[in-house]
Amino acid sequence: MDTIERKTLLNKSGLGFWCINAVQGCSHGCRYPCHAFMLARRYGRVRDLGDWCRPKLVSNALQLIDKELRRKRAVDCVHMSLTTDPFMFGQPEVASLSLQLIERINEAGIPCSILTKGTLPVELADAGRFDAKNTYGISLVSLDEPFRKRWEPGAAPYADRIAAVRALHDQGCRTLVHIEPYPTPNVIVQDIAAMLGQIAFVDHIFFSGWNYNSRVSDYAARDAFYAEQTLVVEEFCRERGIEFETIG
Ligand code: SF4
């Protein structure tokens, strides 16, 4: 895999939380579109989607994190990742680097929050190596594989994602599912209850709609649809004692 060097790794995002992105690009190649890809193209870091889908490891990531953890105070939690995926499907070098980074951050007494459209490695349940306060999450907006192949072509099959997060839950880890960007019925007709039924074991569910896509914004009943689906997810969580979160 190609590599790049960075000057910094641990940064506070515009959303107010600490995050690291130890890879440039992402082989998942999401077509929602991917906001990180659009920014990388605008600032000349990648030429096109093909370039974006050939990830480049940050070769000095471990040195940077060691240095920055010594210097930066008041880091309460580190999120992985905002502009790439820490457990990119079929990319063992990315997964290996991410595991080492989580381990170093946890050794400094700081928990991590992980979100992936890949498969979470079961090693993360090793309490001797990783902080029990870590949160392990998957993104999931459908159970329909043709939908995944259309919109998240390089990402892990939905069943594999769910099985991986379930394995961590079964070993006592804190887990979450991030349902965003949830599609409107003019993109795919689906019953959110079926998806919720597959993830009823998790500790936390985030739900939100789909931005950056004209097909969704053109859907006349968009606001009413999202208001209704939000209530369905909220009620599902309330009945099962699952933490619920949405925007606004
Ligand atoms: S998984 Fe995230 S970073 Fe990777 S292409 Fe999809 S939206 Fe972009």
Side-chain angles (χ1 to χ4, degrees), residues 105-173:
I105 295 164
N106 286 173
E107 275 170 9
I110 302 165
C112 293
S113 170
I114 312 298
L115 189 62
T116 184
K117 290 186 180 75
T119 49
L120 291 158
V122 75
E123 294 101 293
L124 289 166
D126 182 348
R129 202 174 155 200
F130 299 105
D131 193 329
K133 294 197 286 297
N134 289 345
T135 300
Y136 301 117
I138 58 166
S139 291
L140 187 77
V141 294
S142 180
L143 298 175
D144 185 81
E145 278 298 302
F147 177 88
R148 179 190 65 76
K149 287 175 184 158
R150 164 73 181 84
W151 294 101
E152 309 172 346
Y158 294 132
D160 293 6
R161 279 183 233 181
I162 295 169
V165 75
R166 174 152 215 138
L168 292 176
H169 162 81
D170 289 348
Q171 296 202 50
C173 299

Side-chain angles (χ1 to χ4, degrees), residues 26 28-30 34 52 83-85 117:
C26 179
H28 292 165
C30 298
C34 169
W52 174 255
T83 65
T84 187
D85 193 302
K117 290 186 180 75

Side-chain angles (χ1 to χ4, degrees), residues 4 6 20 28 86 88-89 93 105 120 142 147 153 155 157 162 165 167 174 180 183 196 212 218 222 226 237:
I4 57 163
R6 289 233 172 101
I20 60 173
H28 292 165
M88 226 173 274
F89 189 55
E93 290 166 86
I105 295 164
L120 291 158
S142 180
F147 177 88
I162 295 169
V165 75
R174 176 176 159 76
E180 185 195 25
L196 293 172
Y212 316 115
D218 289 348
R222 179 182 187 277
Y226 281 134
C237 291

Side-chain angles (χ1 to χ4, degrees), residues 25-38 41 46-55 150-151 153:
C26 179
S27 57
H28 292 165
C30 298
R31 307 290 205 271
Y32 291 121
C34 169
H35 188 60
F37 159 61
M38 292 195 298
R41 189 176 53 180
V46 296
R47 287 186 306 279
D48 52 26
L49 189 60
D51 196 14
W52 174 255
C53 289
R54 285 186 294 277
R150 164 73 181 84
W151 294 101

Side-chain angles (χ1 to χ4, degrees), residues 186-203:
N186 61 328
V187 179
I188 182 172
V189 175
Q190 57 182 7
D191 179 6
I192 198 167
M195 193 172 77
L196 293 172
Q198 297 273 313
I199 55 167
F201 58 88
V202 298
D203 299 288

